[in-house]
Amino acid sequence: MNNKKLSRLLEPNLKLVFICMLLFAVVTAAVKPVLAIAEACATAALYVYFTKSNQKRRQGILQYIDNLTGSVDTASKSTLINSPLPIMVFRPDTGEVIWSNENFLQLAGVREHLFEMKVEDAVPAFPVQWLLEGKSECPERVVMNSRRFRVYGSLVRAKGRGGEQNLVSTTYWVDTTDADELREKYTATRPVVAILMIDNYEDLMKACPDTQRSALLAQIEEKLRAWAGDGTGPLLKTERDRYLFIFEERHYERYAAERFSVLDAIRDIKAAEGLHPTLSIGMGKDMDTMAELFKNAKLSLEMALSRGGDQAVVRNRVDFEFYGGRAKTTEKRTKVKSRVMANALSELVADATEIYVMGHSFADMDAVGAAAGLCCVARKRGKKAQIVIDQDHNAAGQVLSRLRGLPEYENVLVAPGEAFLKMRPGALLIVVDTNRPDMVESQQLLESCNRVAVIDHHRRAASYIENAAFSFHEPYASSASELVTELLQYLVEPADLLREEAEALLAGIVLDTKHFTLRTGGRTFEAAAFLRRAGADTTDVQKLFQNDLKEMVSRYDIIRRAELYRDDLAISVIPQDGVDRVAAAQAADELLGLKGVKASFVIFRKGEDVLMSARSLGEVNVQVILEALGGGGNSTTAGGRVDGGDPLTVRDQLIQAIDAYFEK
């Protein structure tokens, strides 16, 4: 059969030619019989000649193919036997070793062939799943006799003795021990740059008498050098409150495993009654040049300070890592900074062709109050600011209804889509009450605007609005409304502020401070006093927080479902949809009123997603806990969202995050 196929492929088909020649001979016989006989003889002779020549050609081709096939088989066998790479052939389904070359035998430490042996006898815990999945390389290094190998392989089906189909795998072993050790040595000796800063240096110097300052600084430096001494790297004092520490990456895992214990060591030093030094650390690692490492270290330090200090932040090639940050932050702002920020904001407003103010999605009273205050600033400069907000989905309906009734707020409230279509070059976008680009009312608007200003009090997350032309970020402030009120004191007179705007700002402060019980400092009450002078009525502000009967019933239903975890954490889970966000947040607030409860968490479904609302009295940092689930906020107020999740599953994830928080 194969010969016939070969003939059809390689031999010319001359049958039709010979038939035509015979027909010509027959026709010629009727005219000239002698010529017809000559033609018939010539045709027969040609047919015999071509038949014999085709037979010779076929034999030559078959012999060539046999020689070629034999050469390939010989080369294949020679490659398997004499290959410089160790080779093992086995059955992945049974683990039976079929054959191996001499190099593999030497590596496995077996003198004779591995016939009737299993793969695990020669290579314990050898994975075979990757072969069955059709992969050509083992995803992990395989260790054999203290050597590491990169294993390549292929899988074929071969006929067994009984005609059955068996899976057979051929594996090739490449020794990577030396290369791996060289790579690990390179990784271990890469430099890591750290910048250490004493957060409250000025406060320490003011609180300590002159005779004790040197002793305090010596005590701090002793703790720093004792901690840095394990890293066998230089610790250099670059400024009065800053140090530069360079060490090898092999020491980093130990520092991280200790959660940067130097933070606790510095905090244990007592400078004065109720005053302890705190340390912030910014690190840069996993970069190619010292310049990039130093840049990332400065960026990490800035991130640590913006999150309240007393923590370590590490910036690698991909993202940030956070350690510490559980201590309660104290107010560190100065009026000088507020005045400088007010002047910078005034210049931006004056240069802008259009002004848009935008808060976070599902805006609350703090975001709307801060936006109303900035509308007053724009009006004082002869400009009209527009507030970008979804008027159907927010938590500040009563404040918005009051603002809509003012002639100054005609056409001020615009939808995100409308603002995007109207925005022109040279516009200024002011983002309030958030610093995360994924949390704003309109990401499309944020990405399309060239000049962005940020005013926020939340601790900075790993993802934040970068390259902002103006950033007034103070995690020590109670609310964004407080920060805007501080700016107003330098930009407008109390009479320039509308009573409804003053009450909106005061409502934002009241909301985030839980009626002046949490996260309040001296500046918070100063801002409230300024708003009171501007005409804010505390009774009217209190009315903004009134709820109807349905919302109250929903809130107490959430409280009824609460359970205690670790005896001092209240967790309430509502599996079904239909819970109002405001009611969930208010329920989390009220759960803090339970005796012994230090923090509360409410988990509820909203559409296809699961939302979380967390509150704390200050001892537990709920922002750090919810960061593990993709959330954020500040130490006493935080929230989060899990796309397409299940409330009960999120509860289990939350408990794991809580356990990890207390273990660390």
Side-chain angles (χ1 to χ4, degrees):
M1 182 65 66
N2 292 334
N3 290 343
K4 291 182 178 179
K5 291 182 179 179
L6 187 64
S7 299
R8 286 197 297 267
L9 291 173
L10 301 177
E11 294 179 5
N13 191 355
L14 301 177
K15 292 181 179 180
L16 183 61
V17 175
F18 288 117
I19 291 173
C20 292
M21 293 176 67
L22 288 175
L23 290 175
F24 278 118
V26 172
V27 172
T28 306
V31 181
K32 291 184 179 183
V34 178
L35 181 59
I37 294 172
E39 289 179 354
C41 294
T43 301
L46 289 173
Y47 179 77
V48 172
Y49 170 76
F50 280 111
T51 300
K52 291 184 178 181
S53 63
N54 284 340
Q55 289 178 352
K56 292 182 180 180
R57 186 184 302 108
R58 188 186 307 116
Q59 291 176 356
I61 292 173
L62 291 174
Q63 185 176 0
Y64 174 77
I65 292 175
D66 289 339
N67 293 337
L68 180 63
T69 305
S71 299
V72 171
D73 291 341
T74 303
S76 300
K77 295 175 183 178
S78 176
T79 300
L80 286 175
I81 298 173
N82 302 317
S83 172
L85 294 178
I87 298 176
M88 178 182 65
V89 183
F90 70 101
R91 290 183 59 182
D93 50 350
T94 63
E96 179 185 355
V97 177
I98 298 175
W99 179 84
S100 64
N101 63 358
E102 188 65 28
N103 288 337
F104 186 86
L105 294 176
Q106 294 177 1
L107 292 175
V110 180
R111 296 182 179 180
E112 298 180 358
H113 285 280
L114 300 176
F115 297 135
E116 298 182 356
M117 292 184 65
K118 299 291 185 179
V119 174
E120 55 266 22
D121 296 335
V123 189
F126 177 70
V128 298
Q129 186 62 33
W130 59 279
L131 287 165
L132 300 176
E133 293 174 354
K135 298 179 181 178
S136 60
E137 180 181 355
C138 182
E140 302 173 356
R141 293 289 192 270
V142 178
V143 179
M144 181 171 58
N145 287 340
S146 301
R147 304 288 293 181
R148 283 178 283 185
F149 293 88
R150 174 180 289 175
V151 182
Y152 300 91
S154 60
L155 194 66
V156 296
R157 290 188 177 274
K159 287 186 179 181
R161 295 179 180 177
E164 71 278 4
Q165 294 286 333
N166 296 325
L167 292 176
V168 177
S169 175
T170 304
T171 55
Y172 304 86
W173 299 61
V174 180
D175 192 341
T176 61
T177 306
D178 296 336
D180 290 346
E181 290 178 352
L182 183 62
R183 183 178 63 253
E184 291 170 359
K185 183 178 180 181
Y186 164 74
T187 303
T189 55
R190 287 189 304 182
V192 178
V193 174
I195 301 176
L196 292 73
M197 178 180 177
I198 303 172
D199 295 334
N200 52 351
Y201 181 86
E202 296 294 340
D203 296 336
L204 295 172
M205 295 300 101
K206 291 178 182 178
C208 294
D210 295 344
T211 55
Q212 297 180 7
R213 291 178 181 174
S214 299
L216 175 63
L217 293 176
Q219 193 175 0
I220 293 174
E221 189 161 336
E222 180 184 357
K223 297 281 188 182
L224 292 176
R225 295 197 178 279
W227 173 76
D230 296 335
T232 63
L235 177 67
L236 307 174
K237 187 172 184 178
T238 57
E239 298 180 32
R240 58 181 185 174
D241 59 346
R242 296 197 182 203
Y243 296 82
L244 178 65
F245 181 35
I246 303 176
F247 60 96
E248 292 181 345
E249 195 167 320
R250 58 193 172 97
H251 301 289
Y252 172 77
E253 292 299 331
R254 184 174 71 254
Y255 289 143
E258 298 171 353
R259 312 296 300 179
F260 294 92
S261 58
V262 67
L263 299 172
D264 299 324
I266 296 297
R267 200 185 310 111
D268 290 340
I269 300 174
K270 185 176 181 179
E273 189 63 33
L275 182 63
H276 300 266
T278 58
L279 185 72
S280 288
I281 304 175
M283 286 191 179
K285 64 183 289 286
D286 194 23
M287 299 303 292
D288 298 327
T289 64
M290 289 295 293
E292 292 175 320
L293 290 172
F294 189 72
K295 177 183 177 182
N296 281 356
K298 291 197 296 183
L299 185 63
S300 299
L301 181 63
E302 180 185 344
M303 175 71 77
L305 295 175
S306 68
R307 290 166 57 88
D310 190 32
Q311 59 190 282
V313 178
V314 183
R315 171 69 175 177
N316 55 33
R317 192 180 294 270
V318 180
D319 55 11
F320 290 94
E321 297 175 11
F322 302 98
Y323 300 88
R326 290 165 173 77
K328 187 177 180 180
T329 59
T330 56
E331 187 174 347
K332 301 180 184 179
R333 292 175 291 143
T334 64
K335 291 187 176 181
V336 175
K337 182 177 181 180
S338 298
R339 187 180 70 249
V340 172
M341 287 293 171
N343 293 334
L345 179 62
S346 179
E347 293 178 3
L348 283 175
V349 171
D351 294 340
T353 58
E354 293 178 332
I355 302 171
Y356 294 94
V357 186
M358 178 172 63
H360 53 77
S361 58
F362 204 80
D364 57 10
M365 291 185 186
D366 186 27
V368 174
L374 293 170
C375 287
C376 178
V377 173
R379 192 169 61 247
K380 181 71 172 180
R381 295 296 180 271
K383 303 290 182 72
K384 180 180 179 180
Q386 293 185 290
I387 300 176
V388 181
I389 186 170
D390 186 343
Q391 299 187 52
D392 297 326
H393 300 87
N394 60 76
Q398 297 191 52
V399 175
L400 291 173
S401 64
R402 289 189 180 187
L403 294 176
R404 287 193 202 98
L406 301 174
E408 290 85 355
Y409 277 80
E410 185 178 359
N411 300 324
V412 167
L413 303 175
V414 297
E418 181 183 353
F420 177 73
L421 295 175
K422 290 172 56 179
M423 190 177 63
R424 296 178 298 174
L428 171 65
L429 174 64
I430 307 177
V431 178
V432 296
D433 204 29
T434 185
N435 60 72
R436 296 177 56 173
D438 57 329
M439 295 291 292
V440 297
E441 190 75 70
S442 172
Q443 295 188 43
Q444 193 177 26
L445 190 66
L446 176 64
E447 294 170 356
S448 59
C449 188
N450 293 328
R451 289 202 298 174
V452 179
V454 179
I455 302 175
D456 185 37
H457 69 107
H458 294 99
R459 301 211 316 176
R460 184 170 289 178
S463 61
Y464 60 95
I465 299 174
E466 300 184 50
N467 303 322
F470 171 90
S471 180
F472 190 22
H473 183 243
E474 292 291 347
Y476 315 105
S478 68
S479 58
S481 294
E482 178 187 336
L483 294 176
V484 172
T485 303
E486 285 196 357
L487 298 176
L488 288 172
Q489 296 178 54
Y490 298 100
L491 297 174
V492 302
E493 297 295 330
D496 297 324
L497 196 62
L498 300 176
R499 182 174 65 87
E500 290 79 3
E501 292 174 334
E503 290 177 353
L505 286 162
L506 186 56
I509 297 175
V510 170
L511 176 70
D512 277 16
T513 60
K514 308 299 180 289
H515 296 270
F516 295 95
T517 58
L518 295 176
R519 295 179 58 81
T520 54
R523 306 290 289 279
T524 309
F525 291 100
E526 288 181 16
F530 173 81
L531 296 174
R532 186 71 183 87
R533 292 195 301 271
D537 189 329
T538 54
T539 304
D540 290 340
V541 171
Q542 183 62 34
K543 291 179 180 179
L544 295 173
F545 292 89
Q546 290 180 332
N547 302 119
D548 57 24
L549 181 60
K550 181 180 178 182
E551 291 174 338
M552 184 172 291
V553 171
S554 177
R555 183 166 74 249
Y556 283 106
D557 181 61
I558 297 172
I559 296 174
R560 180 178 60 84
R561 296 170 180 266
E563 298 177 351
L564 290 180
Y565 181 69
R566 289 179 172 260
D567 298 329
D568 53 8
L569 303 177
I571 302 177
S572 179
V573 182
I574 300 87
Q576 67 274 13
D577 195 359
V579 177
D580 183 69
R581 297 191 189 191
V582 177
Q586 292 175 345
D589 289 331
E590 292 202 25
L591 284 171
L592 293 179
L594 297 176
K595 185 177 180 180
V597 172
K598 298 178 181 178
S600 62
F601 302 87
V602 175
I603 303 172
F604 59 100
R605 180 182 293 280
K606 197 69 174 177
E608 298 295 328
D609 304 329
V610 175
L611 274 62
M612 297 170 289
S613 184
R615 300 292 185 269
S616 169
L617 292 175
E619 295 183 45
V620 179
N621 193 326
V622 292
Q623 186 255 352
V624 173
I625 294 175
L626 288 197
E627 262 190 344
L629 280 74
N634 54 50
S635 60
T636 59
T637 304
R641 176 199 300 268
V642 177
D643 296 334
D646 176 71
L648 296 177
T649 303
V650 173
R651 177 188 180 276
D652 296 338
Q653 296 173 350
L654 175 64
I655 289 177
Q656 293 177 4
I658 292 173
D659 292 339
Y661 171 84
F662 284 103
E663 288 173 3
K664 295 173 183 176

